[in-house]
Amino acid sequence: MIRSATQIAADIRTGATTAVQELETVFAQIDRINPTLNAVIWQDRAGAMAEAQKCDAEQAAGNRRGPLHGVPITVKESFDLAGSPTTLGIPELRDNIRHTDSDAVKRYRAAGGIVFGKTNVPLKLVEWQSFNEIYGSTSNPWDITRTPGGSSGGSGVAVATGMSALEVGSDIGSSIRNPAHFNGVFGLKPTWGVVSKVGHTLEGWYGDVDIAVAGPIARSAQDLSLAFDILSGPSRYDASLWQPALPADTRRNLSEFKVALMPGDPASPVDTRYLDTLVTFADQLESAGATVIRDRLPDIDSEAHFTLYLKLLGAALSFGMTDADAAAAVAPYADAPDDVKRIGGTRMSGTQMSHREWLTLDNQRRIARMAFDAFFEDVDIILAPVASGPAFVKDEKGLRAFRRIPINNVQQLENTELFWSGYSGVVGLPSSVGPMAQIGGLPVGYQAIGGHGRDHTCLAFTRAVEREIVGYTPPPMALTD
């Protein structure tokens, strides 16, 4: 049986198991299935076992480090973990051994977690697949021919299969949300700035990247809430100014929530089977007593909003680029098909904008944010797709911006799915993802978008869904006889 992190912690606390036993169980699971999936790409087993033995000795003496005491945890490769390489899949950084922990790792460790390993990512964290020259390719545990998502793809697989009890990912373009969706687990993209990303940037770069957030990936909604409470808090640069003051949300029942259904959008076509599943899920919410609004959404132009996101995304990802790098990034789109220019070309144009242009776009973002704020005055959640459909078949050739996937029997640009990333992401809103159903043997999730700072509302909704409708189901290959 694959248990939640909360259950593991409780069993260690009561003496039903030990930190050493839990670590041995995780190591056995990695040895059994990781050769097939290639999700966990770095481990310090000796160091972790020594830490587990200390945890057990402390437990025997009546001392506990925190709510994750003795729980085995991995983190996305891009988060600094002392003694391990942080490469972002870049071959030139193969030997970039870090000597300090990222803030996320520090916070998991302070809560008692045993952070023993790292999980795979795509090159420079810019794919909804997870492959690179250093560590190779990661596969989806529900169908190894399909992507596990990205850029926190290894994170989603590790949690889904019991190779780790808990994870931390990062998200600028659904890099927490789509791995949760593709692997059948839970993820939270927090409100921008609420979780520190110190230790999640290239060496020597200290700015807080626009749109990007750090957040948890978990096997249960309860774990997701616990992990968010542990991870949330300002970076060292902001701690002198503020501490989180996010409004609590103690609601337990779906009957207490008002939900607006967003059944697709013309800006990004979605698999009709997935949309039908989302509508059926909305019906289930309604049957559970939730108020479901089917005819009202924020007053914004979806295509303009998508363009705004793409340009600001390009600008955000231009950190560390030289003028030559930016020119090279734009060059492939000069003679590209119109749909490729619309997505990839628009995104890469952001790498070359002036600060004056950026300020204009930032003002447009604030106007959009006001529209969302007005909408959330009397609505709790926008229920939206996470992506265009279930996990797609892996395709690791060429530039992502030119790759296509079949949606409703039509070849669509894969990165058109970024619409579902940017809808909430560009205005810094929180959104949680949880398992909803399966389509053709593959898991699909819902995206629950909340108002600015309403992370706990997203989490309360997700806990209620787990309690009343559906939760985590392990992939068959993760189970032992």
Side-chain angles (χ1 to χ4, degrees), residues 72-97:
I73 294 170
T74 54
V75 297
K76 184 177 183 177
E77 200 269 0
S78 49
F79 285 90
D80 289 347
L81 171 61
S84 74
T86 297
T87 72
L88 284 66
I90 301 170
E92 293 77 14
L93 298 180
R94 187 186 301 267
D95 299 319
N96 182 36
I97 305 300

Side-chain angles (χ1 to χ4, degrees), residues 250-257 288-290 460-461 464-465 467-468:
T250 59
R251 286 177 286 185
R252 289 182 50 84
N253 303 314
L254 288 173
S255 60
E256 300 174 86
F257 288 89
F461 174 79
V465 168
R467 189 180 304 112
E468 298 182 42

Side-chain angles (χ1 to χ4, degrees), residues 294-461:
R294 301 171 188 271
D295 59 357
R296 184 161 62 93
L297 289 167
D299 186 17
I300 60 170
D301 181 301
S302 292
E303 184 66 25
H305 193 64
F306 190 22
T307 299
L308 174 67
Y309 167 65
L310 290 170
K311 288 183 176 180
L312 287 173
L313 176 64
L317 294 176
S318 69
F319 69 91
M321 278 188 175
T322 64
D323 288 345
D325 292 336
V330 171
Y333 304 96
D335 299 315
D338 288 344
D339 60 347
V340 174
K341 287 181 179 178
R342 170 183 173 249
I343 311 295
T346 299
R347 174 179 169 181
M348 288 307 171
S349 70
T351 66
Q352 297 188 322
M353 74 171 64
S354 67
H355 186 55
R356 182 175 63 254
E357 293 171 309
W358 186 91
L359 289 170
T360 298
L361 294 181
D362 186 51
N363 191 59
Q364 292 176 11
R365 164 170 43 197
R366 291 169 191 272
I367 293 169
R369 162 73 189 281
M370 288 189 287
F372 278 96
D373 288 351
F375 184 79
F376 281 113
E377 286 179 1
D378 67 342
V379 174
D380 298 309
I381 293 292
I382 296 173
L383 181 68
V386 187
S388 292
F392 52 87
V393 175
K394 292 200 286 186
D395 176 6
E396 300 173 351
K397 297 178 182 178
L399 291 175
R400 177 192 184 190
F402 290 81
R403 298 190 202 125
R404 299 179 185 273
I405 57 174
I407 300 295
N408 301 324
N409 299 315
V410 176
Q411 291 295 314
Q412 171 187 306
L413 288 173
E414 183 261 308
N415 66 359
T416 305
E417 297 181 293
L418 285 170
F419 173 82
W420 302 108
S421 314
Y423 186 75
S424 62
V426 72
V427 285
L429 305 183
S431 55
S432 56
V433 170
M436 181 174 63
Q438 291 183 20
I439 297 175
L442 297 170
V444 291
Y446 60 85
Q447 179 170 196
I449 301 168
H452 193 268
R454 300 286 176 171
D455 302 65
H456 290 297
T457 293
C458 294
L459 291 166
F461 174 79

Side-chain angles (χ1 to χ4, degrees), residues 1 3 7-22 25 56 59 64:
M1 180 178 68
R3 286 132 56 232
Q7 291 169 327
I8 292 169
D11 288 345
I12 293 173
R13 182 174 63 252
T14 61
T17 186
T18 67
V20 166
Q21 289 173 326
E22 290 304 318
T25 298
D56 287 338
Q59 173 81 11
R64 288 178 56 79

Side-chain angles (χ1 to χ4, degrees), residues 204-219:
W205 190 269
Y206 302 103
D208 203 356
V209 178
D210 188 21
I211 307 173
V213 300
I217 296 174
R219 272 195 295 274

Side-chain angles (χ1 to χ4, degrees), residues 259-281:
V259 179
L261 175 64
M262 186 176 183
D265 191 282
S268 179
V270 176
D271 186 304
T272 54
R273 298 170 303 164
Y274 180 34
L275 287 183
D276 289 346
T277 302
L278 190 68
V279 171
T280 298
F281 179 67

